[in-house]
Amino acid sequence: MSNCKVEICGVNTATLPILSEAEKETLWDKIKAGDKKARETYITGNLRLVLSIVRRFMGQNENMDDLFQIGCIGLMKSVDNFDPTLGVKFSTYAVPMIIGEIRRYLRDNSAYRIPRSLRDIAYKALHTKELLNRSLGREPTLSEIATACEVPEEDIVYALDAIQTPMSLFDPIYTDSGDTLYVMDQISDKKCKEDNWITNLTVEEAMSSLPERDMAIIRMRFFEGKTQVEVAEEIQISQAQISRLEKGALKTMQKHLNP
């Protein structure tokens, strides 16, 4: 870890600058006008973003200097393609692109060789998807991507699946001032606008803090739909006790959910 904090690719990471929001806005205006020096300053001011992402790959026996350089390529592509008028933070836009550049490098240099033709189809599909997203103003369908690429839908699905590397929803991908951005922060469930699945995870976590009997009562009452009488018969205590234990368990969970 120390080599990442001190020096990587000849860069003393301890002295990397951090841009203020005002500086970022000023630099963007200059970048739009074609100011190459402003572009370099903006890239340098975001090298910490690359560094934080590279740290995630430290356990994969890869050369950190190489990964840092590849991450910088992703950063430069992000700067060249970012549109600040969309109302999205630059880091939110850049993180997936930097990670994608690093993962592409790791795939291309892995011991398991994916056929070149398959990689070409996958990269073409990803590029086409990005272009269609901009022109259509929405996420393109698989059929639209396949038509634009002139490749069967089945081949695109197979190619994209082949280049994927499994990730945990709780993998950290960016840390800024102590606030960690996780994979799950970059995705959304379009079929569940209220994020019920995250709520369910939170409730399950709150339940795990309960004693075993209280947890069983809550599960039977609110997940299995049983009445207090039915729960009392199963646990073999009175309904009054069930009512008291249920109220106590709910208060405990509420404190856990709203500390």
Side-chain angles (χ1 to χ4, degrees):
M1 182 72 75
S2 59
N3 67 330
C4 264
K5 289 184 177 178
V6 178
E7 184 172 313
I8 186 168
C9 290
V11 177
N12 184 352
T13 59
T15 62
L16 288 176
I18 299 177
L19 299 174
S20 66
E21 291 301 318
E23 288 175 321
K24 291 177 183 178
E25 292 181 10
T26 301
L27 286 172
W28 269 119
D29 291 337
K30 294 181 179 179
I31 291 172
K32 287 180 188 177
D35 190 327
K36 294 183 179 180
K37 187 175 181 180
R39 177 179 178 273
E40 291 178 6
T41 302
Y42 198 89
I43 290 172
T44 302
N46 281 278
L47 287 179
R48 287 179 181 270
L49 178 61
V50 177
L51 181 64
S52 66
I53 294 172
V54 167
R55 285 174 179 159
R56 183 186 175 280
F57 296 88
M58 288 191 68
Q60 301 194 23
N61 297 319
E62 295 292 337
N63 185 291
M64 290 297 103
D65 283 1
D66 290 344
L67 294 187
F68 187 77
Q69 291 180 34
I70 298 300
C72 287
I73 293 175
L75 174 61
M76 287 186 283
K77 288 183 178 180
S78 300
V79 172
D80 292 339
N81 292 282
F82 180 61
D83 183 358
T85 63
L86 295 177
V88 177
K89 288 181 63 177
F90 175 75
S91 59
T92 303
Y93 175 83
V95 164
M97 187 166 288
I98 295 171
I99 291 178
E101 201 70 31
I102 293 175
R103 288 188 176 278
R104 186 177 300 115
Y105 167 80
L106 293 176
R107 285 194 298 265
D108 290 346
N109 292 275
S110 66
Y112 171 66
R113 303 300 297 178
I114 300 173
R116 183 69 197 181
S117 59
L118 211 55
R119 291 203 305 271
D120 288 344
I121 292 175
Y123 297 155
K124 183 178 181 181
L126 291 173
H127 180 63
T128 301
K129 178 182 178 182
E130 184 177 345
L131 293 178
L132 288 174
N133 201 337
R134 293 180 183 177
S135 62
L136 298 174
R138 60 173 173 79
E139 193 79 6
T141 64
L142 176 62
S143 176
E144 289 171 334
I145 296 173
T147 300
C149 291
E150 298 182 346
V151 175
E153 292 183 25
E154 295 79 6
D155 291 354
I156 289 181
V157 172
Y158 182 61
L160 291 175
D161 184 62
I163 67 171
Q164 294 304 311
T165 302
M167 293 181 67
S168 167
L169 288 175
F170 298 96
D171 279 349
I173 56 178
Y174 175 50
T175 300
D176 182 14
S177 303
D179 296 326
T180 302
L181 182 69
Y182 297 93
V183 173
M184 69 187 303
D185 298 324
Q186 292 287 293
I187 63 176
S188 63
D189 183 354
K190 296 182 179 179
K191 295 182 179 179
C192 182
K193 295 295 184 181
E194 300 301 324
D195 290 335
N196 289 333
W197 64 284
I198 296 180
T199 301
N200 290 339
L201 288 176
T202 306
V203 171
E204 286 286 351
E205 183 181 351
M207 286 179 60
S208 67
S209 65
L210 299 174
E212 186 175 346
R213 184 173 64 174
D214 291 4
M215 188 189 305
I217 291 172
I218 295 298
R219 192 171 298 279
M220 284 187 284
R221 286 281 290 125
F222 298 99
F223 288 80
E224 298 176 14
K226 293 183 178 180
T227 65
Q228 288 187 351
V229 173
E230 292 172 327
V231 175
E233 290 178 352
E234 185 163 336
I235 298 183
Q236 296 185 342
I237 59 177
S238 68
Q239 180 183 354
Q241 287 178 294
I242 291 294
S243 178
R244 186 172 64 254
L245 290 171
E246 179 183 311
K247 290 178 181 178
L250 290 175
K251 287 183 179 179
T252 299
M253 289 176 63
Q254 187 175 19
K255 289 179 181 178
H256 186 89
L257 293 170
N258 301 294

